[in-house]
Amino acid sequence: MLQKIYPRSKDKETVYLKSVITNPNIIVGDYTMYNDFVKEPKDFEKNNVLYQYPINQDKLIIGKFCSIACGAKFIFNSANHTLSSLSTYPFPIFFEKWGLDVKDITKAWDNKGDIVVGNDVWIGYEAVILAGVTIGDGAIIGARAVVTKDVPPYTIVGGVPAKQIRKRFNEETIDTLLKLKWWDWSKERISKNIAAIQSGNLGYLL
């Protein structure tokens, strides 16, 4: 894919994320876009990816053709305070004050893993995705939802904490779409099939 920042020439509020990311621990697929009408969308990794400290090496992985709305946040492990301690106070972070070994700083929080977002996922306005969550292909995250658990493919979730509202399609259609992986097609093949994709009729693609 030829990397340009703005999908539309007169729209500076929407960017292709892959073109503005510099952090090697944020991996974004082709055509995934982010819109921000409040802040500079090119500052996504500073404003929207929170507590992703290098010491943890946790990753944000986002697939192709995702649509991320204004203010969506991805909150990583370092935002957590460990629950295995008798206190939630993060003593290891203040190692100098308490004479602790700096190498143990990650004991201040519980490490739940990476955030993985599949392909063709729509994340709504000001939704929050927490560390350790995997969102399946084709899923939809409702506005201001707080996602604390994995979301299956082609599932709509919403609320705080986010709960399943419904599946987008029947299981047979979902299985076929997951095998089809249209997002991995060439640009030329996708272009020829846009009308079929938008029709909602899987039969036109087969």
Side-chain angles (χ1 to χ4, degrees):
M1 173 185 169
L2 180 62
Q3 292 300 298
K4 63 178 183 177
I5 293 177
Y6 301 106
R8 299 185 294 185
S9 59
K10 297 181 180 180
D11 175 9
K12 303 304 181 184
E13 294 180 351
T14 305
V15 297
Y16 283 133
L17 270 187
K18 187 174 183 179
S19 300
V20 301
I21 294 300
T22 61
N23 184 342
N25 286 325
I26 301 176
I27 302 160
V28 182
D30 292 342
Y31 302 104
T32 284
M33 63 175 185
Y34 173 62
N35 171 269
D36 200 319
F37 51 83
V38 178
K39 298 181 178 179
E40 170 56 64
K42 291 189 291 184
D43 292 335
F44 174 86
E45 65 184 63
K46 179 180 75 173
N47 295 328
N48 303 77
V49 183
L50 308 179
Y51 299 96
Q52 191 190 26
Y53 298 149
I55 192 170
N56 241 20
Q57 291 298 306
D58 36 17
K59 292 179 172 57
L60 172 58
I61 302 170
I62 303 175
K64 303 175 183 178
F65 291 95
C66 292
S67 304
I68 304 175
C70 181
K73 299 288 193 300
F74 301 83
I75 301 182
F76 276 86
N77 293 286
S78 299
N80 295 325
H81 291 218
T82 182
L83 300 184
S84 61
S85 170
L86 297 179
S87 171
T88 59
Y89 190 81
F91 287 104
I93 291 177
F94 305 106
F95 55 90
E96 294 170 307
K97 175 67 176 180
W98 300 102
L100 302 175
D101 193 330
V102 66
K103 292 184 295 185
D104 294 330
I105 196 170
T106 57
K107 291 182 178 179
W109 54 80
D110 292 332
N111 195 331
K112 298 183 179 181
D114 301 332
I115 296 175
V116 180
V117 179
N119 304 281
D120 192 25
V121 172
W122 173 19
I123 299 177
Y125 176 73
E126 291 189 345
V128 175
I129 317 298
L130 299 186
V133 165
T134 294
I135 299 173
D137 296 326
I140 298 174
I141 310 301
R144 290 183 171 165
V146 177
V147 184
T148 63
K149 297 180 180 179
D150 291 353
V151 179
Y154 291 95
T155 300
I156 302 171
V157 300
V160 181
K163 295 182 180 179
Q164 180 172 324
I165 297 172
R166 65 177 175 87
K167 295 279 190 177
R168 292 181 58 196
F169 308 108
N170 61 43
E171 290 299 332
E172 181 180 358
T173 299
I174 290 173
D175 288 344
T176 302
L177 284 167
L178 293 174
K179 292 174 183 175
L180 201 63
K181 296 183 185 296
W182 66 263
W183 45 82
D184 286 337
W185 292 355
S186 68
K187 180 181 177 183
E188 292 72 25
R189 186 179 179 189
I190 292 173
S191 295
K192 290 179 181 177
N193 284 276
I194 286 176
I197 292 170
Q198 290 187 306
S199 73
N201 189 331
L202 186 59
Y204 293 160
L205 288 177
L206 302 178

